Amino acid sequence: MRHPSRIWTAVLVLSLVTTEARAHAFLDRAEPKVGNTVASPPREVTLYFTQKLEPAFSTISVTNAAGQRIDSGKARVSGSQMSISLKPGGNGTYHVNWRVLSVDTHTTDGNFTFQVGQ
Amino acid sequence: MSWSEAGLGDGLIAVRAVHFAATANTLGALIFRSLIAEPAFGATPEAVPVLAAQIRKLAWTSLVIAVLTGLGWLLLETMQITGLSLWDALTQEGLSTVVEVTQFGQVTVVRLALAVLLAISLAGERVWPVRRLTLVSALAFTGAIAWTGHAGSTAGDLGILHLVSDVLHLWAASAWIGGLLLLMSLLNSSARHQSAAWRKLEQNAVSRFSLLGIVAVSTLVLSGAINAWIIVRSWQVLLATAYGQLLLVKMAVVALMVAFACVNRLWLTPQLAATAAADASLQLARNSGIEFALGLAVFAIVGALGLQHPMIHP
Ligand code: HEM
Ligand SMILES: [Cu+2]
């Protein structure tokens, strides 16, 4: 190694940009897609994660543009995917909040929106 | 919540670290008995009672520690998952819910049952020929750890590969680290006795352990690489996440352990055969002790590693 100090600088920089990695099951994709627009109010929302989930400790809530909860309250989990049925909620921006426990016992949460109409 | 989040996290790391070390010593002692001690005993009958008693003592002590830390792990994990205090977790269905509905809880109960089976088998050995059962229940008790962590939560066919490789990883770690204390004690006994019979036993056991070590280290590196590939996936994640960096530290400690093992194998083992002096035995014992201590450090790192996760997705 001709420049050990450079290596140490690189290590230092890397550790500074290190994210405090606490998350475990990450949202891989969703249907309706994150940030996308769909023509009519969807019947349900499905989230696909990177790991298998524990049904008893995994929840989703969905609110419509008026801020009303329009999910059925009961999420269905199958392996690494989780779905919840929706009541008709009109047009506008829908907010999805999720909080899941993956099978490795680690909890993660997050949220995203999608648009309905136009 | 009566415990701070940080305290709970540290408690989990500690209890997992001790649990990994204890299960490895339980299984390692029994593997040592089957693959090293018993085949090597032949010419040295006077060593049998000494070593057999030490093996049983290590297996029993480690098993008791493994069960206690296993219960502690279950309790802390329940507090973590439910957000309840220790008292509430015990009294307000927190524990029963986790045990009934989560994979971690179910696997932990199965593992406790396997520990009981192992204890019964270990106790019954003197009366019934159940040594196979002892070994098989120890393999199951240790291997089942795979289902409690990241390997147990990977979906699909990749999940099966992840589990198989993690089970092999756990078995190989146990065979290597869990045999070192017994090897040390055998070497020290041999140095003390200074008899031809003990020296013969020692040489036989050391060469068997070298072979076991080579197989175990190869298995660890291969299965560790598969685990790392499934979880980490990119050089960027390996270098720039806390998970990746902790894994790199682990690999550095493992490299040091392998270096010590190579010195033992390539340099000290031939001396053992060449000289009748006790020096080589004692030095080999000391190096094995260092290897064991580094192994404990690896278990401590893994205690933390399994709680972390790389940011794979943006
Ligand atoms: C080059 C060598 C190695 C590599 C690349 C490696 C890699 C890994 C990886 C990626 C994991 C998964 C951690 C997680 O669940 O997030 C792991 C787990 C583990 N490793 Fe290693 N490892 C190596 C050597 C060792 C050695 C020598 C030991 C024994 C002292 C060891 C003991 C363990 C244990 C006990 C686990 C926990 C398994 C579980 O939670 O299911 N590893 N290793
Ligand atoms: Cu995780």
Side-chain angles (χ1 to χ4, degrees):
Chain A
M1 303 276 162
R2 279 195 308 145
H3 297 290
S5 65
R6 283 202 193 155
I7 294 171
W8 286 113
T9 313
V11 169
L12 190 68
V13 169
L14 280 174
S15 47
L16 290 178
V17 301
T18 296
T19 34
E20 178 62 23
R22 293 230 166 250
H24 297 269
F26 304 102
L27 184 63
D28 187 38
R29 64 201 157 86
E31 199 57 52
K33 293 185 181 57
V34 173
N36 262 29
T37 303
V38 291
S40 55
R43 292 272 187 79
E44 65 170 23
V45 175
T46 302
L47 277 60
Y48 299 86
F49 290 90
T50 55
Q51 284 182 304
K52 290 195 273 184
L53 307 176
E54 289 292 358
F57 293 95
S58 299
T59 54
I60 318 178
S61 73
V62 183
T63 52
N64 65 5
Q68 296 156 327
R69 281 279 297 261
I70 51 158
D71 59 84
S72 66
K74 188 94 192 81
R76 299 179 305 281
V77 170
S78 155
S80 56
Q81 80 183 61
M82 177 163 72
S83 311
I84 196 158
S85 310
L86 302 183
K87 301 166 211 158
N91 288 351
T93 303
Y94 282 47
H95 286 261
V96 180
N97 277 289
W98 54 267
R99 183 179 171 80
V100 299
L101 178 72
S102 43
V103 165
D104 63 13
T105 71
H106 307 136
T107 304
T108 43
D109 53 27
N111 57 73
F112 65 90
T113 60
F114 63 87
Q115 320 286 327
V116 175
Q118 285 112 56
Chain B
M1 213 192 275
S2 64
W3 283 34
S4 69
E5 284 279 328
L8 200 54
D10 290 346
L12 266 171
I13 293 174
V15 90
R16 279 163 47 88
V18 179
H19 187 74
F20 291 144
T23 46
N25 275 292
T26 309
L27 176 58
L30 298 168
I31 291 178
F32 190 91
R33 179 170 75 176
S34 299
L35 297 184
I36 315 287
E38 283 178 349
F41 273 153
T44 321
E46 68 262 38
V48 175
V50 183
L51 216 54
Q54 280 170 353
I55 290 170
R56 291 179 62 83
K57 198 167 129 198
L58 181 62
W60 272 116
T61 330
S62 312
L63 180 58
V64 169
I65 298 173
V67 167
L68 293 176
T69 48
L71 288 169
W73 185 5
L74 176 61
L75 263 182
L76 292 183
E77 203 72 77
T78 300
M79 291 164 67
Q80 175 103 310
I81 291 172
T82 60
L84 296 170
S85 69
L86 179 59
W87 178 251
D88 289 348
L90 285 168
T91 54
Q92 295 188 356
E93 298 187 350
L95 195 59
S96 56
T97 308
V98 167
V99 162
E100 275 163 33
V101 305
T102 69
Q103 177 170 315
F104 174 82
Q106 291 163 352
V107 172
T108 301
V109 170
V110 170
R111 292 190 60 234
L112 282 171
L114 288 166
V116 171
L117 179 65
L118 172 53
I120 292 172
S121 180
L122 204 51
E125 277 180 352
R126 297 185 163 172
V127 194
W128 296 100
V130 285
R131 299 199 151 197
R132 275 251 165 94
L133 179 64
T134 311
L135 184 60
V136 168
S137 45
L139 284 167
F141 175 60
T142 306
I145 291 175
W147 276 260
T148 64
H150 285 134
S153 62
T154 300
D157 289 344
L158 196 60
I160 296 171
L161 173 67
H162 200 170
L163 280 168
V164 169
S165 121
D166 205 36
V167 168
L168 292 175
H169 200 72
L170 286 156
W171 286 349
S174 305
W176 181 13
I177 310 304
L180 286 169
L181 284 181
L182 293 167
L183 187 73
M184 278 165 71
S185 119
L186 193 153
L187 288 162
N188 285 325
S189 299
S190 161
R192 219 175 318 112
H193 283 88
Q194 289 286 346
S195 73
W198 268 94
R199 212 168 296 127
K200 197 161 173 201
L201 168 65
E202 171 189 63
Q203 278 169 26
N204 198 334
V206 165
S207 74
R208 280 170 191 279
F209 194 80
S210 297
L211 187 62
L212 179 70
I214 290 168
V215 174
V217 170
S218 320
T219 308
L220 276 166
V221 172
L222 185 67
S223 59
I226 292 174
N227 274 0
W229 173 71
I230 292 174
I231 297 175
V232 175
R233 289 307 174 87
S234 76
W235 294 108
Q236 190 200 338
V237 170
L238 183 66
L239 294 172
T241 62
Y243 185 95
Q245 291 168 356
L246 206 53
L247 184 57
L248 287 173
V249 173
K250 179 186 168 180
M251 292 197 283
V253 179
V254 172
L256 206 58
M257 291 171 68
V258 173
F260 269 96
C262 286
V263 170
N264 290 353
R265 174 85 189 85
L266 301 173
W267 194 44
L268 294 175
T269 305
Q271 280 185 22
L272 214 55
T275 67
D279 288 8
S281 305
L282 292 175
Q283 204 173 354
L284 201 51
R286 209 198 52 202
N287 273 13
S288 305
I290 297 173
E291 226 173 290
F292 183 75
L294 291 170
L296 294 186
V298 169
F299 288 130
I301 294 171
V302 173
L305 191 63
L307 301 177
Q308 299 260 338
H309 205 84
M311 291 287 188
I312 303 171
H313 292 271

